[in-house]
Amino acid sequence: MKTILLFLSLAIILPLSALATCATTDTPTNQVWLGVLDTNGKPLNASNRYWIRPAYTTMDIGGVRLANLDDQQQTTTCPTSVVLSNLPKDDGIAVYFTPKNPNKYQLILASSPLNIHFYFDYPLCSNFAVWKVDNLVSKWPPILHTISTGAKLGNPNDFSSWFQIKPLGRNYKLVFCLESTTYCRDIGFVRQNGYRRLVLSEKPMPFVFKLDDRIGMASCYA
């Protein structure tokens, strides 16, 4: 009788302990990587969209958006140059962060590769939403590695379109790292044609991410 009771006890306890192990090792709190937070202190989620804004309001500039700087590589009338708005109260154009290796919780993790693409709720220029680094293979003469749009979403073979978010003090910086190499550069800006244009730089721009909770509304171009 004792043998039967012992067997029944093990049959009940073992499945419960296995379930507890699965629950504790598969929760976001046990994630090895650091989650990126928005301005409300909540984790960034791949299903949400966010405005990328300068971390300091004293910088007298607004959020990230698009502009036509007359040096576009594509034969299109759509603006493709990624810039900072000249209006401090302008949040810019909201973006989605799409991880290269998504997790089941859709969290955006620091130092992990991701695509950044602008949110448009209309078809015009929708093929020019995904960020990329320009002139990546050009080493001579030295030219700016500017940030523009026109890449394809989720293309693992396009090394120019994968970025990372990394902590910068209490804020964050955007980083471009060339896969399978030690090449990594921060994203800053240069002044160009009346705008502050995003480029690869040795001086990182501090950013924060503000949730865009509107429904069916996309920002206009510059």
Side-chain angles (χ1 to χ4, degrees):
M1 183 66 178
K2 291 182 179 180
T3 303
I4 295 175
L5 290 175
L6 178 61
F7 176 79
L8 290 174
S9 299
L10 290 174
I12 295 173
I13 293 172
L14 286 177
L16 290 176
S17 62
L19 180 61
T21 302
C22 291
T24 55
T25 57
D26 200 25
T27 55
T29 54
N30 285 330
Q31 179 60 256
V32 175
W33 298 102
L34 178 66
V36 180
L37 305 180
D38 66 14
T39 53
N40 293 319
K42 296 182 178 180
L44 264 60
N45 192 292
S47 62
N48 296 332
R49 59 181 185 263
Y50 300 87
W51 289 296
I52 303 176
R53 288 195 53 89
Y56 306 112
T57 56
T58 55
M59 299 187 73
D60 199 33
I61 46 180
V64 172
R65 59 165 46 254
L66 287 168
N68 189 337
L69 299 186
D70 299 325
D71 63 345
Q72 300 178 172
Q73 298 179 8
Q74 299 94 350
T75 56
T76 176
T77 58
C78 297
T80 61
S81 301
V82 182
V83 301
L84 294 167
S85 174
N86 290 326
L87 303 175
K89 293 184 179 181
D90 177 21
D91 286 323
I93 303 176
V95 304
Y96 284 103
F97 298 106
T98 302
K100 188 174 186 179
N101 304 301
N103 55 77
K104 64 181 293 185
Y105 302 100
Q106 299 194 68
L107 298 181
I108 302 302
L109 306 177
S111 302
S112 60
L114 49 80
N115 284 148
I116 304 174
H117 51 111
F118 285 112
Y119 161 62
F120 302 130
D121 58 2
Y122 46 89
L124 180 64
C125 300
S126 60
N127 290 330
F128 298 95
V130 183
W131 292 26
K132 65 183 181 68
V133 178
D134 298 320
N135 311 313
L136 195 57
V137 297
S138 299
K139 296 182 179 180
W140 185 264
I143 54 178
L144 285 175
H145 295 302
T146 52
I147 310 300
S148 66
T149 58
K152 300 298 182 183
L153 184 64
N155 183 358
N157 299 319
D158 184 1
F159 298 137
S160 70
S161 65
W162 296 101
F163 298 86
Q164 297 181 20
I165 301 173
K166 294 189 177 185
L168 182 63
R170 294 185 177 182
N171 305 303
Y172 295 96
K173 63 180 180 178
L174 298 176
V175 179
F176 173 78
C177 292
L178 195 57
E179 190 174 0
S180 302
T181 72
T182 58
Y183 180 86
C184 279
R185 290 292 184 273
D186 297 325
I187 292 181
F189 69 85
V190 295
R191 294 180 182 272
Q192 191 175 88
N193 295 355
Y195 285 95
R196 294 172 176 86
R197 186 174 188 178
L198 297 194
V199 298
L200 300 190
S201 172
E202 295 182 356
K203 296 181 179 180
M205 176 76 182
F207 289 109
V208 293
F209 309 108
K210 179 182 176 182
L211 177 67
D212 178 8
D213 56 1
R214 302 171 304 168
I215 299 176
M217 296 178 62
S219 296
C220 298
Y221 294 135

